[in-house]
């Protein structure tokens, strides 16, 4: 999937403007990169458009935090309230899930608590 198509998909699913979709993608991927350990962010980056790879590569601080903290951090980075950030992050996660191989999705989910797979990556946003 190309970058413009990725952003357009987020925009359409979230019902937001293109610049808002870009902010949502940036915030979600940066926070996800903080939560993924080992080289998993790098593996994910290889399956996404090249324009978003840098978002995953530039984050070097890795931490464990729960889903509520994930949404709080996305909210802070995106500059929107937690309800909007939660919706946007779920949309971005749905586009990621539809864009990467099943094996890569398994690797991502294996590093995250179950609440991430039950909420963030299963919101079914289309």
């Amino acid at each position: 999937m190309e970058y413009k198509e990725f952003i357009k998909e987020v925009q359409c699913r979230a019902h937001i403007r293109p610049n808002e979709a870009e902010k949502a993608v940036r915030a979600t991927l940066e926070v996800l990169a903080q939560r993924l350990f080992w080289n998993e962010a790098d593996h994910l980056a290889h399956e996404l458009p090249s324009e978003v790879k840098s978002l995953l590569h530039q984050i070097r601080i890795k931490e464990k935090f729960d889903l509520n903290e994930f949404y709080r951090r996305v909210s802070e980075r995106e500059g929107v309230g937690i309800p909007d950030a939660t919706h946007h992050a779920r949309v971005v996660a749905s586009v990621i899930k539809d864009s990467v191989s099943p094996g890569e999705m398994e690797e991502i989910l294996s590093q995250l608590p179950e609440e991430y797979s039950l909420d963030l990556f299963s919101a079914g946003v289309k």
Side-chain angles (χ1 to χ4, degrees):
M1 179 180 291
E2 297 295 322
Y3 178 71
K4 287 183 181 182
E5 184 182 356
F6 191 91
I7 296 299
K8 182 73 171 173
E9 195 61 35
V10 170
Q11 177 192 353
C12 290
R13 292 184 192 188
H15 306 290
I16 55 179
R17 293 185 292 256
N19 65 322
E20 294 170 321
E22 287 184 307
K23 287 171 66 174
V25 167
R26 174 177 297 279
T28 302
L29 287 176
E30 287 175 349
V31 175
L32 184 59
Q34 289 178 327
R35 187 60 182 80
L36 295 175
F37 289 87
W38 303 294
N39 292 326
E40 197 51 47
D42 293 334
H43 296 165
L44 174 59
H46 289 294
E47 295 200 26
L48 294 175
S50 60
E51 293 87 347
V52 298
K53 285 180 183 181
S54 65
L55 301 175
L56 292 163
H57 289 306
Q58 69 189 8
I59 304 297
R60 293 294 166 214
I61 298 171
K62 307 295 183 176
E63 308 174 63
K64 288 186 176 184
F65 46 85
D66 68 14
L67 188 59
N68 288 330
E69 178 63 11
F70 180 92
Y71 290 137
R72 189 198 66 74
R73 291 178 186 208
V74 171
S75 170
E76 185 178 277
R77 284 180 181 268
E78 194 178 349
V80 298
I82 290 178
D84 286 338
T86 300
H87 174 65
H88 298 165
R90 286 174 176 158
V91 168
V92 172
S94 75
V95 175
I96 290 170
K97 188 175 179 181
D98 291 346
S99 301
V100 302
S101 68
E104 180 56 32
M105 209 53 236
E106 278 183 41
E107 289 295 320
I108 291 168
L109 294 176
S110 74
Q111 291 196 13
L112 301 171
E114 187 178 18
E115 65 182 335
Y116 283 76
S117 63
L118 294 175
D119 185 278
L120 179 64
F121 285 98
S122 70
V125 181
K126 291 260 181 176

